[in-house]
Structures are given as C-alpha cells and as structure tokens.
Amino acid sequence: MNQLLKNVLTLAAVVSVSVVSAQKKSATPVYLNEDAPIEQRVEDALERMTLDEKVAFIHAQSKFSAPGVPRLGIPEVWCTDSSHGIREECAWDKWSGAEWTNDACTAFPGLVCLAASWDPELASRYGVAIGEEARYRNKTVLLGPGLNIYRTPLCGRNHEYMGEDPYLVSTLAVPYIKGVQSNGVATCAKHFALNNQEQRRHSTDVEISDRALYEIYLPAFKAATVDAGSWSIMGAYMKYKGEYCCHNQYLLDDILKGEWGWDGVVISDWGGVHDTHQAIHHGLDLEFGTWTDGLSQGKANAYDAYHLADTLKTLVKAGKVSEDVLDEKVRRVLRMVFRTTMSKDRPYGSFVSPEHSAAAREIAQGGIVLLKNENKVLPMRPAEVKKLLVVGDVATASMMKSGSSTTLKAKYEILPLDGIKAAYPNAEITYMRGYEVDKRKAEPLKDVVEAAREADAVIVFAGLYYKGGQDAEGVDRKSMELPYGQDKVIEALCGVNPNYAVVMVSGTGVAMPWKDKVPAIVQGWHCGSEAGTALASVLTGEVNPSGKLPYTYYASLDQCGAHVLGDYPGDKNHHQVYRDDIFVGYRFIDREGIKPNFPFGHGLSYTTFEYSNVRINRTKGNANSKWVVSVDVTNTGDVDGKEIVQLYVAAPKGKLNARAVKELKGYNKVALKAGETRTVEIPMDFSSLAYFDEAMHDWNVLAGEYKALIGASSQDIRGEVAFEVK
Ligand code: BGC
C-alpha cells in the first residue's frame, strides 16, 4: 500500500469513528447523559414527559415508592425509614413487612445517643455507614435525620432527635447528612417544623414568636438544607398559623424556598396532606401517605385519589392550575433523581459489614453518659467482680420493634445481658428480671434484695421500651415516671450493696426519685445492634465514658418551660401557644435558677479534667470578625479520657425584653492522655452573637459587652472572658 492510500484509509477510519460517536452522542438524550449539568438534564427530561407522567411522578404508587418515568428509564423513587437503621422492605400497600430474607440491617444507636457524643466526626461516620446501607438496598431517600427540638421530656420521639440545643443539633446534622448523601442517597430532614410532641400531632396548631421559631426551632433545618444541602425535607404533621406544615406557605414557600433559596424536594409526612389547593400551591412537591386524607380513612391502593394525583390532573387540564406549577414540582423531584439514582457518582454501598458494626459500637461508646459515680463505683473491673447480679427486664429485651417508623429488623442485636456475660467471662452472673413486663414473670422483690446482698456488684438495667406511651411514635408519655414499677426495684436495692449501678436504657429523660441514693448512674440510650457490647465496655472500664447530655435531665415536669410556661399539649381546640418562647431546656433552667437532676452538657469520666487560662483572641477586624476562645485543659486523673469543652456566650440584653442568660455557641471534644495538658481552641464568629430581630425580620447583633464562658457543662462554668462589640 502506498503512503497516500494509507493516509486516506486512516482518515476514512477516523471519520467513520467520529461519525459513529457523533451518532451515539446525538442518540443519547441530554437527561441520560451523566456528564451533562443537572439543570440541563432536568429541563430535557421535563420536556419529554407527558401530563400523565408528570402527575404520576409527584405522588406515591405504593407505601414507600413513587413511580419514576418507566417509559424514559427514569427509576422509581424509593424512600426508607429511618434515621438509625434501614427499615425492612414493606408490603406494597401496607406498613407491615414484605417478608424478604435479605433485608436485615445494622441497627445504629438512636440519634439522641449520637447527639450525646458531641462528636461531628462520629456524626459523619454514622452518616456514611447508614448511607451505605441505604444505597446497598437501592433507596433513593433516607427518611431522616430527625431534627426536632427536645421541648418536653414526654415527647415520644425524643430518641429520634438530637436534644434541646439548636447549635448542637445543627453541628451534628451537617456531617451526618453529608455522609449519607456521599452515597448518592438523599436525606430527608424531618419533621419540618415544630413536631416537638407526638400528642395530637395531626391536629395541633402551633402559635410561636418569630424569634423562637428562628432561634430555636429552625436552625437545624437551615443547617440541614443550606449548609449540608439535604436533597429533601419532610413536612411535619402539625399546623403552623392554621396551615398543615406539609403545605404551609410560611414555612415552605416563604422561608425554606424563599429566604433560604433551597432547591430540594418537600416530601409530605405519610398522610400529612389535607388540602388540595394548599398541596398544589404551598410548597409541597411529593406526596406520600397511606390513605386519601390522612392516616386512617379511605381505601387501600387509593393513590390516584391523592391530592397531587387525579384531582391535580383535572385542574391542570381544565386550565385552573397552570402547568408551570406542576412543572416546578417535577423539576425538583427530577433534580433529586439526577443527584441520586441517576448520578454517575453513585457508589454501590455495603450492608451489615464489620465496619458498620464497629461504627455502631463506637457511636454508642462515644454517646453513653456517666451521670453519677460516687465512690468510684464504676468501672466494675472484671478482675474485681466474682459474683455479679444483673437485674431488669430491659437487660434481655429487644429494642427493635416499635410498631412504627423506627421499627427495625436487625441482622443481630447484642442485648445488655449478653454484653455483660462476654465482658465478665470469669464471673458468676445471676440474672433476675426484677419487674414484670407483659406476661414475663418477675421474682419476688425480697429474693432480688437477697441476691444483691450476696453479690460483689449489682447492675440494674431500667428504662423505656419502644412501645406506645414510652419511647415511641404517635403518643407522648403521660408522665416522666418509669413504667412497670421499675422505680420500686431500684429503690429496694438502695443501700443493700455499695457497688450498685443503674443503667438507663431510654431515649429521653425519666424521673429518678432514687437519684441521690444510687451511687452510679449511666445514661445508656437505645444503642442498636451493638448495645450490649457498648454498655458493657463502659461498665468494665474498657472504654472511658465521654458523652454529655444533649438535653436537660429534669427532676420533674415543673422544671421544664414547655410545661410551666407553654400550654403543652395545647388547649381543647388543639391550639398551642409556645409561651416558653426561646426558653427551652437550659435557657429556662438558667433564667429561673433551677437545679435539674442533671444539667444540659453534663457527663462524667473515669478521669478528671482541670481547666485554666481562658482567653479570647480576635482573628480579623471586620464585620465577619472571628474570635477564638482558648483554654488549657489537663487530664488530672490516671486514665486516658475525652473531654467535651463547651463555649457559651452571654450577650447584653440591650433593648430586648428577654435574652437567655447564655447560649451554646461552640464545643470541642478532645482526647487527653493521663496527665496531658492541651490548649483547646473554639472558634466563634459574628453570627454567634446574633438574635432574631422581629421588627427587622432578620438577624441582628447588639453592641455592648459580651462574655465567653467556658464550661464542662451548662452549670459547670470553669472560666470566662469579657469582650466588647462596637
Ligand atoms: C413518621 C415519619 C416516617 C413516615 C414513614 C410517619 O408516621 O412521622 O417520620 O418517616 O411515617 O414511615
């Protein structure tokens, strides 16, 4: 072949290859091109969709799925509960399980335990791990994290949320969300907003000042959507200003999509949509639910009768609703699909891996709180305990089934008693139920007391079950008291054996009438698959506890602002004024000078920490001024440990009628070897000083003298420095 012919052939080959690839390219619609910008994909897909497809796209087709656009290859949208584990597959149109055999998950600790860790790195690990499980199960949306504020200890879902302080919740929500979404699974921050109680959650209309709304109840949602970029959010069941939160013009259009400029999907809580006009016009994008008008009425498979279904289609066809309104909702759902299931960056996930077990265990270990430890009763070192008495039905009760959205089918669950047996292999362990639960019979109390007298050490596991009226959805507790007469058993053992510890397995505060008589108390939460291992590791001292309370542990309800000042649970018309306003948790405690059982931010260690030399430095001189508050912290004990150093700001009152005595604005969890001293730095910016000015409808900062307070808890302030804002 001569050179010329060779060249011609090569050229022909190149031309034919590029023709083929051009053909291929032009054959690939933009919406299927994973490299195209998302907004272009959205517009291209939208153009191709028929009216029927658009309407179908924005409401459920089954209990947990919406249909996608099968003709175009756009996959179904699959949602799954919950914040702390991936729920089993449900039957198509039922809450009950579909009886698959490959869907048993890793159960992670409840979010309140994560909050008690005060550890953004653990929050990130949590998000990554649960996101991997959701991805493996091919879910589009994880229905969490729960971000409502702990306003009353009675709220049945406190265990799903992250405590009473908006700053703490926000700083943990962000890494959790980023972790989940790094798996190509959308989070659905819930329940937006004001779902601070379960009692009358479908009918309560909340009245609240703008200041309390913006300062206490919205920051975590703003952090979730604006800072972390959560791709979806769930409307709450409650009403605000007379409109249900799932289609609430103020919350969704004005604040979320307006002020915050957020471009994600508003998903209704299941059955939370009640008004077709509002559902169409007030911010809702994707309707999920059970029946046609809420949770309890209608017929099975009623999806066509949803508010965003046939009715909407008829209205659009009749020209009564502009197709633009529908398109805007479709766009948002498409955007979420391109960010998740149709993204080339979506990894593959993993399920019930050893890494997930380790994450679950370490989150639990980081969040368990040592509330009290007189005479160093804890740790109970295995070498020193020959005869151990374990009491309490909780020690052997599974904490997986709540009957509602937190129910998990876990691959495994290490119960507290199993954890103890493994941690004390050489001890003689006696287990007694102590109190009767359901039909599980208990021993006579005198026998339990007798056994306690003969043991070297006694551990009582007490707490709340995932059951209606305890730690569960749909209803609040009636009082702070422990159920099943558990207090009686705990009381009976006081003074019998000096080596006595009570472990509280609950997701919220309970009354502790015996608090002063029990030498050691541990807040053990609901820790999921690794509960037993994590609890035992703290009791034996293998792990030095480092969690601190993310909420005020009230001695009784009359220490809680919502009960004293608010009108919880609302009046006879289900109208509720949040008279406690910004005075939630420690903000109320501080103002009233109350001594709760344990304050917000409290938690002990097997070592002790000394604080000295609190100082403040300014890092920049302009309006975005940043300060760094520093303190030297020394581990003064003989074991390594972690301390959570807290920064509170006390602001001048200025023209404000009411201002919290102090507010949490920073924290830093540091590991210190025995004897080690470290300088702990906590940055703070201008926004830490702001309050929500109702007249301006914006954040504002008063000039005057501020104080930076450094504490080991909200009631254990170790040092302070003043600084001036001009
Ligand atoms: C709960 C949500 C949950 C949804 C789906 C509702 O009852 O309030 O938190 O995600 O059900 O199970």
Side-chain angles (χ1 to χ4, degrees):
M1 224 187 297
N2 69 31
Q3 191 54 38
L4 183 67
L5 187 58
K6 255 194 208 162
N7 286 352
V8 168
L9 285 177
T10 317
L11 189 67
V14 170
V15 169
S16 77
V17 167
S18 54
V19 167
V20 168
S21 64
Q23 273 169 354
K24 249 196 196 153
K25 245 199 192 140
S26 69
T28 306
V30 176
Y31 80 94
L32 288 177
N33 177 0
E34 294 178 329
D35 293 317
I38 283 191
E39 294 310 310
Q40 284 178 21
R41 299 181 75 186
V42 167
E43 293 309 319
D44 185 54
L46 184 66
E47 262 176 39
R48 294 167 193 269
M49 288 168 72
T50 65
L51 178 64
D52 282 350
E53 285 168 343
K54 288 179 187 174
V55 171
F57 196 58
I58 59 165
H59 69 271
Q61 63 170 356
S62 78
K63 183 66 72 190
F64 283 104
S65 74
V69 192
R71 180 179 63 87
L72 298 177
I74 297 176
E76 297 173 337
V77 168
W78 275 92
C79 302
T80 182
D81 288 307
S82 69
S83 310
H84 64 275
I86 307 307
R87 185 178 185 152
E88 70 177 318
E89 298 300 326
C90 285
W92 189 252
D93 191 35
K94 293 201 175 81
W95 291 107
S96 51
E99 307 205 358
W100 289 20
T101 51
N102 59 353
D103 58 350
C105 68
T106 305
F108 295 90
L111 283 194
V112 71
C113 173
L114 172 67
S117 77
W118 298 58
D119 189 337
E121 270 172 42
L122 275 184
S124 169
R125 218 171 135 197
Y126 195 140
V128 169
I130 193 171
E132 283 171 350
E133 299 233 335
R135 165 61 191 97
Y136 183 85
R137 293 264 304 279
N138 208 13
K139 301 304 177 190
T140 324
V141 183
L142 175 66
L143 301 173
L147 300 179
N148 295 106
I149 289 289
Y150 186 114
R151 178 171 177 253
T152 160
L154 302 187
C155 173
R157 298 184 84 172
N158 283 338
H159 62 105
E160 291 183 62
Y161 305 143
M162 291 198 270
E164 71 187 30
D165 185 77
Y167 179 84
L168 180 61
V169 184
S170 303
T171 52
L172 297 169
V174 171
Y176 176 101
I177 288 169
K178 288 185 174 167
V180 172
Q181 294 196 156
S182 68
N183 289 287
V185 173
T187 49
C188 187
K190 69 189 188 185
H191 309 84
F192 187 66
L194 300 167
N195 200 158
N196 310 105
Q197 69 193 51
E198 288 299 281
Q199 215 60 27
R200 302 171 174 176
R201 65 176 174 167
H202 295 290
S203 54
T204 295
D205 188 6
V206 175
E207 187 179 327
I208 182 175
S209 74
D210 277 359
R211 192 165 158 220
L213 183 68
Y214 277 83
E215 289 187 21
I216 305 292
Y217 298 100
L218 295 187
F221 289 103
K222 187 172 182 200
T225 50
V226 178
D227 302 343
S230 180
W231 292 323
S232 73
I233 203 169
M234 187 189 291
Y237 282 136
M238 333 288 288
K239 290 185 203 167
Y240 166 63
K241 292 196 181 182
E243 284 183 6
Y244 281 99
C245 295
C246 288
H247 36 77
N248 188 293
Q249 186 186 342
Y250 311 96
L251 293 173
L252 303 176
D253 283 336
D254 297 353
I255 299 176
L256 178 67
K257 295 180 176 178
E259 289 172 23
W260 300 350
W262 179 71
D263 67 1
V265 183
V266 174
I267 299 180
S268 70
D269 199 345
W270 268 235
V273 185
H274 301 270
D275 181 294
T276 304
H277 175 83
Q278 290 177 13
I280 294 171
H281 295 286
H282 294 182
L284 176 69
D285 300 309
L286 183 53
E287 184 181 2
F288 272 93
T290 308
W291 308 102
T292 52
D293 72 338
L295 290 168
S296 56
Q297 295 171 42
K299 52 185 191 322
N301 275 315
Y303 304 103
D304 290 343
Y306 273 30
H307 297 272
L308 296 187
D310 285 355
T311 318
L312 170 59
K313 192 161 65 191
T314 310
L315 289 168
V316 173
K317 274 189 172 158
K320 293 192 173 139
V321 168
S322 151
E323 196 161 342
D324 293 349
V325 174
L326 170 61
D327 285 355
E328 183 48 25
K329 298 179 195 300
V330 175
R331 259 190 203 102
R332 286 175 180 266
V333 182
L334 280 170
R335 195 175 286 132
M336 180 173 77
V337 170
F338 293 128
R339 283 167 166 169
T340 55
T341 44
M342 292 184 79
S343 162
K344 74 169 181 331
D345 300 326
R346 195 174 208 222
Y348 296 99
S350 52
F351 201 53
V352 211
S353 63
E355 288 78 13
H356 294 176
S357 297
R361 183 171 62 252
E362 284 164 41
I363 293 158
Q365 288 167 332
I368 291 169
V369 183
L370 179 62
L371 292 174
K372 181 178 174 189
N373 195 18
E374 259 170 25
N375 308 323
K376 296 195 176 170
V377 162
L378 290 173
M380 294 171 173
R381 303 260 178 218
E384 290 154 20
V385 180
K386 303 253 164 345
K387 277 182 90 174
L388 177 64
L389 174 67
V390 177
V391 181
D393 181 74
V394 165
T396 56
S398 168
M399 292 287 175
M400 293 298 148
K401 296 231 179 323
S402 66
S404 59
S405 60
T406 52
T407 290
L408 293 181
K409 182 163 102 188
K411 184 87 178 179
Y412 71 98
E413 179 184 10
I414 300 173
L415 297 171
L417 184 61
D418 297 332
I420 293 283
K421 283 182 178 160
Y424 294 91
N426 302 319
E428 178 191 327
I429 296 173
T430 307
Y431 170 68
M432 297 176 114
R433 194 170 306 283
Y435 43 86
E436 189 174 322
V437 179
D438 304 333
K439 291 200 163 67
R440 301 197 286 275
K441 285 268 169 252
E443 312 72 9
L445 200 49
K446 67 172 190 0
D447 293 359
V448 183
V449 173
E450 197 45 47
R453 200 164 278 132
E454 282 163 20
D456 298 332
V458 180
I459 305 171
V460 173
F461 288 90
L464 300 174
Y465 295 69
Y466 275 167
K467 276 189 182 170
Q470 299 183 44
D471 275 334
E473 188 181 328
V475 268
D476 287 345
R477 286 188 297 156
K478 297 251 173 324
S479 76
M480 287 182 69
E481 242 173 70
L482 283 173
Y484 315 117
Q486 297 179 68
D487 286 333
K488 234 168 112 187
V489 181
I490 298 172
E491 289 269 6
L493 296 176
C494 289
V496 173
N497 188 316
N499 294 322
Y500 178 24
V502 170
V503 179
M504 192 53 60
V505 174
S506 73
T508 184
V510 301
M512 294 181 170
W514 32 261
K515 177 205 141 207
D516 294 334
K517 292 184 272 176
V518 173
I521 308 173
V522 172
Q523 180 60 38
W525 313 118
H526 295 290
C527 287
S529 288
E530 289 283 327
T533 315
L535 290 168
S537 70
V538 166
L539 295 168
T540 58
E542 180 202 331
V543 166
N544 189 351
S546 63
K548 296 207 181 196
L549 288 174
Y551 58 75
T552 302
Y553 222 113
Y554 304 105
S556 59
L557 290 179
D558 55 19
Q559 297 189 330
C560 170
H563 293 268
V564 181
L565 305 173
D567 74 8
Y568 172 90
D571 66 18
K572 62 177 184 343
N573 300 319
H574 297 198
H575 179 246
Q576 182 172 180
V577 186
Y578 277 24
R579 291 202 181 83
D580 44 334
D581 205 67
I582 62 161
F583 295 98
V584 176
Y586 67 87
R587 288 163 169 83
F588 182 67
I589 293 286
D590 278 355
R591 189 182 85 175
E592 304 294 311
I594 294 170
K595 216 178 147 351
N597 265 353
F598 303 101
F600 172 82
H602 167 79
L604 304 172
S605 162
Y606 295 146
T607 185
T608 43
F609 300 98
E610 246 175 53
Y611 291 51
S612 63
N613 194 15
V614 177
R615 58 225 186 252
I616 187 165
N617 284 311
R618 209 171 165 142
T619 55
K620 258 203 235 154
N622 58 31
N624 295 320
S625 201
K626 281 206 173 158
W627 293 268
V628 173
V629 183
S630 312
V631 57
D632 299 333
V633 181
T634 304
N635 178 344
T636 47
D638 49 16
V639 287
D640 302 350
K642 289 183 187 159
E643 173 67 332
I644 298 163
V645 180
Q646 299 158 41
L647 166 69
Y648 296 86
V649 171
K653 206 165 144 198
K655 60 180 187 207
L656 288 174
N657 291 333
R659 188 119 202 199
V661 173
K662 63 176 185 297
E663 294 179 300
L664 182 76
K665 294 297 173 186
Y667 61 87
N668 195 339
K669 186 166 189 172
V670 283
L672 292 168
K673 300 237 167 283
E676 186 184 352
T677 299
R678 265 174 61 180
T679 298
V680 177
E681 295 188 332
I682 307 181
M684 180 176 77
D685 65 21
F686 218 61
S687 66
S688 311
L689 314 180
Y691 71 97
F692 192 80
D693 187 322
E694 297 193 328
M696 282 170 53
H697 194 80
D698 205 350
W699 295 89
N700 197 0
V701 175
L702 292 174
E705 191 184 87
Y706 287 73
K707 275 187 203 146
L709 313 167
I710 289 287
S713 87
S714 62
Q715 292 200 349
D716 184 7
I717 300 300
R718 304 285 183 92
E720 60 176 65
V721 278
F723 62 102
E724 191 72 26
V725 173
K726 299 229 167 77

